[in-house]
Amino acid sequence: MANGESVSHPTLIGSVQRALRLLEAVAAHADGAPAKQLARETGLPLATTYHLLRTLTHEGYLRRENGVFVFGEAAEFLGRAGARSRQRAHVSEALALAGRELGAAVYFAVYREGEVDVVAVTDDPDRPPVEEWVDFRTTAHAHAIGQCLLAQLDEASRKEHLARYPVQSITPFSVRSEGDLLHRLDTVRRDQVAYEQQEYAMGTVCSAFPVHVSSAAAALAVSLPAEELHRLRAVTDRLRTMAEATLTTLAFSISI
């Protein structure tokens, strides 16, 4: 076959097409549909329909309940994953707009399943984010994001985290001990903001403040070059105002 023909007539897998038509038909029925109805709506032979339904059920994309077929866990997972990916993209776009207005790198993070999870961060080459030279998850004590998240945890969760990831100095400016960190976290809780100067990365200053999204510990943060320390408080305050207007709504959709 010539190259032009292969491009114009790609090889299609008929069984895959038929399975997708069945999934689309199931999606059209919130309460599910029986095999005979699905066969009729898709125009597939009943025997083929039964075969495909058995396969899709075995793989977890469908399940049979009271004689009708509905989406299974695998299909629901794909839907959630796709929605989460789109939502993360929306948050990234919102952070990018904020970062350009503020002239700073902007971050959104949550504390999820015992770990610091930086969900989204701007990637403006003119204002690059802090390079993760030591794993953010293991160094929550040393950066503003981690300090802000740890300050939101209950005592038991915080102790458990610090037992797994003990306080250690990673720059000359890092907190030196767990006692120093706990004192810092008291200040963060009182002031509702964490400020950090070159404690995680030399040449960088950061801030983070809590974002209230359901029961999750979440934070928005900014970073600036150390020579722009004088801007940090004003930039933080402006980001907080933006968050109250738009970013928190977007953050909520992907925080859990």
Side-chain angles (χ1 to χ4, degrees):
M1 181 181 289
N3 289 338
E5 293 178 350
S6 64
V7 171
S8 301
H9 303 285
T11 300
L12 302 178
I13 309 300
S15 59
V16 174
Q17 290 179 305
R18 290 188 287 273
L20 292 173
R21 284 162 59 190
L22 272 177
L23 290 174
E24 290 170 353
V26 171
H29 300 279
D31 298 321
K36 289 183 179 180
Q37 182 178 355
L38 294 171
R40 185 167 59 251
E41 292 177 355
T42 57
L44 297 174
L46 186 57
T48 300
T49 299
Y50 275 122
H51 176 72
L52 290 172
L53 289 173
R54 282 195 298 270
T55 302
L56 290 168
T57 299
H58 179 268
E59 296 298 326
Y61 290 96
L62 295 177
R63 67 178 187 272
R64 190 174 184 181
E65 293 183 350
N66 300 320
V68 300
F69 289 89
V70 297
F71 277 149
E73 185 175 342
E76 292 168 354
F77 173 80
L78 288 177
R80 290 193 301 270
R84 188 176 298 114
S85 178
R86 291 190 296 273
Q87 290 159 349
R88 283 177 180 248
H90 289 324
V91 171
S92 295
E93 291 170 6
L95 293 188
L97 290 173
R100 285 194 292 271
E101 183 171 337
L102 297 172
V106 185
Y107 313 72
F108 172 62
V110 297
Y111 193 82
R112 196 197 316 267
E113 298 179 354
E115 302 291 352
V116 172
D117 180 8
V118 179
V119 175
V121 59
T122 54
D123 60 358
D124 187 342
D126 293 329
R127 287 292 176 174
V130 175
E131 181 181 354
E132 189 177 0
W133 73 283
V134 185
D135 194 334
F136 283 144
R137 295 171 300 177
T138 67
T139 55
H141 62 280
H143 48 74
I145 288 174
Q147 292 172 8
C148 185
L149 294 175
L150 290 176
Q152 297 176 61
L153 301 182
D154 58 63
E155 184 177 0
S157 298
R158 187 162 48 252
K159 283 184 176 180
E160 192 276 334
H161 181 96
L162 295 176
R164 287 184 290 121
Y165 303 125
V167 172
Q168 56 177 322
S169 296
I170 59 175
T171 79
F173 301 96
S174 302
V175 292
R176 293 288 188 269
S177 68
E178 185 171 320
D180 290 340
L181 174 65
L182 294 178
H183 180 71
R184 171 75 63 84
L185 298 185
D186 286 338
T187 301
V188 173
R189 276 191 295 274
R190 183 183 66 246
D191 297 341
Q192 290 295 289
V193 62
Y195 289 108
E196 168 261 295
Q197 299 181 34
Q198 304 187 89
E199 295 177 37
Y200 174 80
M202 297 297 294
T204 302
V205 295
C206 305
S207 69
F209 55 85
V211 179
H212 300 292
V213 287
S214 185
S215 60
L220 280 166
V222 294
S223 65
L224 293 169
E227 60 266 23
E228 296 183 24
L229 173 61
H230 62 282
R231 296 183 57 224
L232 187 59
R233 288 184 182 272
V235 167
T236 303
D237 290 342
R238 287 177 61 195
L239 180 61
R240 195 191 299 271
T241 300
M242 292 177 182
E244 292 170 353
T246 58
L247 292 178
T248 299
T249 301
L250 288 171
F252 176 78
S253 65
I254 63 170
S255 63
I256 304 300

